[in-house]
Amino acid sequence: MFKKQITIKKAIIFKGIGLHSGEPVSLKLSPEKKNTGIIFYKKNKKIKASWKNAEVSQLCTKIKNKNITISTIEHLMSTLSSLGITNLKIEISGSEIPILDGSAKIFLDEILKVGTLEQDANQKFIKIKKKVLYEDKEKFICINPIKEKKLIIDFTIDYNDQFIKKQKLIYTHSPDNFRDIYLARTFCLQKDLEKIFSLGLGKGGSLDNAIIVSENKILNQGGLRYPNEFVKHKILDCIGDLYLAENQIWGKVETYGGGHELNLLLLREVFKNKENYEFFDY
């Protein structure tokens, strides 16, 4: 993976709408000096991209500092993890990262256009030393130690419906392998939309930025980007959530029915006990 800390070569601006808020939002990514970390700025207040600042949420990943919150950071964080970006300033005009096309595609493409820059400092990695498990009824997520210096994600989804059904994929995190999942879009069952709307969410959702599944078909005219796009998107989300560890993780994650909530609760369980992990330079 990456030995040195990394930032971007020059600033990038993204504009779009929030998936849940429906509000227009602009986002500016700027280079940052070594040993800074990934820092979000909103109204001159900063929030570090860290599990310590994250709130449990089912439909997105949210970080908070006092009364300032920033939501739906997972696709951007997943992209930064795939590129090994460790230091970045992120200025946002609203409360939610723009959903763009519902995947990591536009984030990755635009960052690759400006390029990344290695910095004169080593990256640190988190090596898992002991199995950590979090269970919630029939759902679970765990992480196990492995000998390799890599993150492996074994993800199973089971929607018990007519279209998505059960999907399983084992993914090894790397820049090349990320290209096999980064186009996967967020998705929703049509029958769940009423509940989502009743919570005041999903206001910016459309067929341009989400897959909508209606019984035995999808409503998107272009079809799926991958036959197993649903589980690939869940893995994309998981990568972004796990990067709230503030460093890349070496270990094997296994999850059944996982999502944003379980991803964060796993991180909390890991960092609850220092015997579960240790830090390493590459």
Side-chain angles (χ1 to χ4, degrees), residues 58-59 193-203:
Q58 293 183 338
L59 296 177
L193 287 176
E194 185 175 341
K195 179 182 177 181
I196 291 171
F197 294 150
S198 71
L199 296 172
L201 302 174
K203 296 175 182 177

Side-chain angles (χ1 to χ4, degrees), residues 81-223:
S81 174
S82 77
L83 296 170
I85 293 173
T86 51
N87 304 305
L88 194 67
K89 181 178 182 180
I90 305 171
E91 298 169 274
I92 184 169
S93 65
S95 60
E96 189 176 13
I97 300 296
I99 189 61
L100 303 178
D101 77 336
S103 75
K105 179 186 187 303
I106 297 172
F107 288 127
L108 185 68
D109 289 350
E110 294 303 311
I111 293 173
L112 289 176
K113 283 181 185 178
V114 303
T116 59
L117 180 68
E118 281 195 353
Q119 297 173 295
D120 185 23
N122 290 333
Q123 283 206 30
K124 287 193 177 296
F125 296 83
I126 297 169
K127 181 179 180 181
I128 298 299
K129 295 171 60 180
K130 295 171 60 178
K131 179 179 179 177
V132 179
L133 170 69
Y134 185 87
E135 295 179 290
D136 180 13
K137 298 178 181 178
E138 75 280 3
K139 300 178 181 181
F140 77 89
I141 187 167
C142 68
I143 189 164
N144 287 281
I146 57 175
K147 293 181 180 179
E148 301 94 332
K149 297 177 178 179
K150 59 181 66 174
L151 171 66
I152 300 173
I153 300 175
D154 181 344
F155 210 116
T156 301
I157 58 173
D158 190 354
Y159 277 76
N160 193 29
D161 71 334
Q162 299 178 50
F163 191 83
I164 301 175
K165 300 179 182 178
K166 187 174 183 178
Q167 297 185 5
K168 175 184 172 71
L169 181 64
I170 300 175
Y171 167 89
T172 300
H173 193 35
S174 72
D176 288 339
N177 290 341
F178 191 73
R179 304 295 180 88
D180 292 330
I181 69 168
Y182 84 117
L183 297 176
R185 294 160 292 174
T186 192
F187 61 92
C188 180
L189 302 182
Q190 188 179 33
K191 66 179 183 179
D192 293 334
L193 287 176
E194 185 175 341
K195 179 182 177 181
I196 291 171
F197 294 150
S198 71
L199 296 172
L201 302 174
K203 296 175 182 177
S206 72
L207 295 176
D208 292 327
N209 56 38
I211 303 169
I212 305 298
V213 180
S214 177
E215 297 183 349
N216 64 346
K217 65 181 184 297
I218 64 169
L219 302 183
N220 307 68
Q221 289 187 351

Side-chain angles (χ1 to χ4, degrees), residues 56 153 162 230 242 258 270:
V56 172
I153 300 175
Q162 299 178 50
F230 303 102
L242 294 179
V270 168

Side-chain angles (χ1 to χ4, degrees), residues 220-238:
N220 307 68
Q221 289 187 351
L224 295 175
R225 293 176 175 176
Y226 310 102
N228 56 350
E229 186 167 358
F230 303 102
V231 70
K232 284 189 172 184
H233 186 80
K234 285 289 191 178
I235 290 173
L236 189 153
D237 281 347
C238 186

Side-chain angles (χ1 to χ4, degrees), residues 14-27 40-42 57 59-63 68-76 90-100 107 186 200-205 209:
F14 299 92
K15 292 185 178 181
I17 61 169
L19 174 63
H20 294 300
S21 67
E23 297 174 354
V25 60
S26 63
L27 188 72
F40 288 82
Y41 289 82
K42 179 184 174 185
S57 177
L59 296 177
C60 68
T61 302
K62 180 187 297 184
I63 54 175
I68 299 292
T69 63
I70 301 173
S71 301
T72 321
I73 67 171
E74 56 268 20
H75 302 166
L76 175 58
I90 305 171
E91 298 169 274
I92 184 169
S93 65
S95 60
E96 189 176 13
I97 300 296
I99 189 61
L100 303 178
F107 288 127
T186 192
L201 302 174
K203 296 175 182 177
N209 56 38

